[in-house]
Amino acid sequence: MFDLVYDTIFFASYGNIYGIGNITIGPFDILMAYIVAIVVSIIVALVLRIPLLPGKPYRYSFDVSALYPTPIIAMGIFSIFLVLNYTFIYNGIVLAAVIGILSALFVKYLFDFVFPKPLDENGGEDSNE
């Protein structure tokens, strides 16, 4: 049986399709870089005064928060860089910190512009209250 966690962690460290990828980092470095991206994005989001949790009720809330979607965006963008086999310096730690900062800024200032909230069911207006 295959080990999904092993394959997932090592996926970014494989060489690219053309064989010119000379940057390989280990699974511990990848894991540390993901943790740095998550922690930095949450801390910067809290510094920017994004709430830790969305408004109630949580299930139907379209408010942004420091826990969602900020670290999810940081992990996704960092994954793209890892798949492209680009880690910058210090085995991706600096790149992860920069992506964490940029993802928090994106969520604070551009998220509602790029992903608008759905229309209100009753009045047809935006649900900004």
Side-chain angles (χ1 to χ4, degrees), residues 8-128:
T8 304
I9 290 176
F10 275 107
F11 177 72
S13 64
Y14 293 149
N16 60 10
I17 194 168
Y18 300 110
I20 59 175
N22 57 1
I23 300 173
T24 57
I25 58 177
F28 181 75
D29 295 329
I30 294 172
L31 188 62
M32 286 303 297
Y34 273 117
I35 291 172
V36 166
I38 292 168
V39 169
V40 167
S41 68
I42 291 173
I43 290 173
V44 172
L46 291 174
V47 167
L48 291 173
R49 297 188 188 266
I50 297 175
L52 184 64
L53 295 173
K56 289 187 179 183
Y58 298 130
R59 176 179 277 176
Y60 301 109
S61 176
F62 289 97
D63 298 335
V64 295
S65 67
L67 294 181
Y68 183 81
T70 310
I72 309 303
I73 291 173
M75 288 179 2
I77 294 172
F78 187 66
S79 296
I80 291 172
F81 279 99
L82 286 180
V83 168
L84 292 175
N85 217 1
Y86 181 74
T87 56
F88 197 50
I89 56 176
Y90 298 116
N91 293 334
I93 300 293
V94 174
L95 180 66
V98 169
I99 288 173
I101 292 169
L102 292 178
S103 68
L105 289 171
F106 172 76
V107 168
K108 173 70 176 182
Y109 297 111
L110 294 175
F111 188 79
D112 289 331
F113 179 72
V114 175
F115 304 107
K117 293 181 180 178
L119 296 175
D120 189 15
E121 294 177 359
N122 299 331
E125 301 277 331
D126 285 337
S127 60
N128 297 338

